[in-house]
Amino acid sequence: MQKKLRVGWFSFSCCEDSTILFVELMNERFLDWKRLIDFRHARVLQGRNFDDYLDVAFVEGAIATERDADELVRIRSRSKRLVAIGACACEGMPSGQRNEFDEEKKREIQFLVDRFRLCERVRKVSDIVVVDSLVPGCPMVEQAFLDVLDKYLMEFGVVHA
Ligand code: SF4
């Protein structure tokens, strides 16, 4: 029986454009991925998702609340590998641009920070958990994502050289 890579795709604070690219890649890759990948968690693809262990978690977006930070730690604890997807996850920007606001602008947006219980600073994924691979770009560089996916398909013995 064909072994499958157990994958999760998660989005935090961001515009989710890398998720759109990921879905668009299915136009060309759907049949391959259906054979090789078990999407345990990918809300953009399916209504039924699972919180069980993963070979690889792909995480898009920056972390703006303690609740999201806790969720990220939970994802990390059940994932053998974790990949930061896109500039917001890799560097915290541009989603974290309020970190750079001057004091006046910070005062202006304080009511939103309070209303949505946001952290004082927006953080990148590696500020909170260990990251195994980075896929840079805004949105993600497609080829970099495919290279990382191929690397883990090989590492977990789903495909062979
Ligand atoms: S890295 Fe760019 S495309 Fe990706 S979520 Fe952030 S702003 Fe959107």
Side-chain angles (χ1 to χ4, degrees):
M1 198 165 142
Q2 171 68 50
K3 183 177 180 186
K4 292 189 175 187
L5 191 71
R6 295 169 66 93
V7 159
W9 183 279
F10 304 91
S11 294
F12 288 96
S13 292
C14 67
C15 70
E16 301 193 37
D17 273 10
S18 293
T19 294
I20 301 301
L21 284 187
F22 165 62
V23 173
E24 284 182 349
L25 280 167
M26 294 222 161
N27 288 325
E28 295 163 16
R29 311 260 167 179
F30 178 75
L31 291 177
D32 277 348
W33 287 358
K34 192 168 186 275
R35 193 167 51 86
L36 302 175
I37 299 174
D38 180 2
F39 287 104
R40 305 300 298 165
H41 194 288
R43 287 205 174 114
V44 70
L45 300 179
Q46 58 204 19
R48 190 156 176 250
N49 292 287
F50 303 92
D51 281 337
D52 48 7
Y53 85 85
L54 301 168
D55 294 323
V56 187
F58 294 99
V59 175
E60 175 193 35
I63 305 301
T65 67
E66 284 307 328
R67 192 172 158 199
D68 283 354
D70 290 346
E71 176 62 11
L72 179 60
V73 169
R74 224 170 55 81
I75 292 166
R76 173 74 265 191
S77 71
R78 58 191 167 85
S79 305
K80 292 178 187 158
R81 300 286 181 272
L82 188 140
V83 182
I85 294 286
C88 290
C90 294
E91 300 161 26
M93 293 291 263
S95 279
Q97 57 186 285
R98 71 179 166 87
N99 290 351
E100 309 297 323
F101 284 1
D102 59 26
E103 288 308 315
E104 188 186 342
K105 278 208 183 71
K106 280 185 179 161
R107 272 196 298 278
E108 281 176 30
I109 64 161
Q110 188 59 47
F111 76 101
L112 291 169
V113 172
D114 294 339
R115 181 182 300 167
F116 295 106
R117 296 187 188 157
L118 304 176
C119 298
E120 193 183 328
R121 291 185 66 76
V122 180
R123 288 170 285 176
K124 60 182 183 293
V125 169
S126 64
D127 287 337
I128 297 163
V129 296
V130 172
V131 170
D132 299 294
S133 295
L134 299 169
V135 176
C138 180
M140 70 173 180
V141 177
E142 282 182 17
Q143 192 56 53
F145 168 70
L146 292 171
D147 290 347
V148 167
L149 182 58
D150 282 348
K151 177 176 81 167
Y152 289 129
L153 285 168
M154 298 265 285
E155 180 180 321
F156 285 91
V158 177
V159 298
H160 303 278

